Amino acid sequence: LGYDVTNLRYPPWLINDFRLPPSLLPAAVVPPGRPHATVSPAVAANLSLPPGVRIVGGTTDSNAAFFAAAGGCHPPLGTAVTSLGSTLALKQLSRRFVEDATRGVYSHRCPGAKDDDVDEARWLIGGASNVGCAA
């Protein structure tokens, strides 16, 4: 929600419907694990961090579970993982983008060799259920 992973841009409705100045949105959205920038010296000092702390692209908990269980960011196509946390999540790596909001099926762009090439993109197709272990 909020970033168009197929076209690699913010959707016009996000800016137009909410009258959101584009300057409030991150200038770049990077794939999980990709270094993006470093924390400024002033912020690092304020947070008691050492200079040069890197900011890298993050991901969801169930995507991180997929990467951990599948042995990294480049498993073979067709690899599938089920993870159980506060939700039960299912993920499968595919070349096809799949989305069906009526069934709760969505796709996340998976890091790959050509992250900016939609034709070469790899997708984590998934869904989640509230039957997890949240108390």
Side-chain angles (χ1 to χ4, degrees):
L1 178 64
Y3 187 77
D4 182 343
V5 295
T6 56
N7 294 306
L8 303 176
R9 63 179 176 85
Y10 293 103
W13 64 261
L14 183 65
I15 295 162
N16 299 333
D17 293 356
F18 292 99
R19 297 187 182 115
L20 187 65
S23 62
L24 290 180
L25 299 170
V29 175
V30 298
R34 180 176 290 169
H36 175 63
T38 57
V39 175
S40 74
V43 170
N46 189 40
L47 298 174
S48 300
L49 296 172
V53 171
R54 289 193 292 176
I55 300 169
V56 299
T59 192
T60 66
D61 56 349
S62 60
N63 284 357
F66 176 89
F67 299 139
C73 293
H74 301 286
L77 291 171
T79 299
V81 169
T82 300
S83 60
L84 180 62
S86 58
T87 60
L88 172 68
L90 310 169
K91 302 283 182 177
Q92 184 172 21
L93 186 60
S94 175
R95 280 266 185 238
R96 288 187 44 215
F97 174 88
V98 177
E99 185 174 72
D100 186 344
T102 65
R103 291 184 170 85
V105 177
Y106 54 86
S107 293
H108 287 270
R109 185 179 288 273
C110 186
K114 297 181 179 179
D115 293 317
D116 59 347
D117 185 342
V118 174
D119 293 329
E120 292 295 319
R122 299 175 335 137
W123 302 96
L124 278 179
I125 301 169
S129 169
N130 290 331
V131 298
C133 296

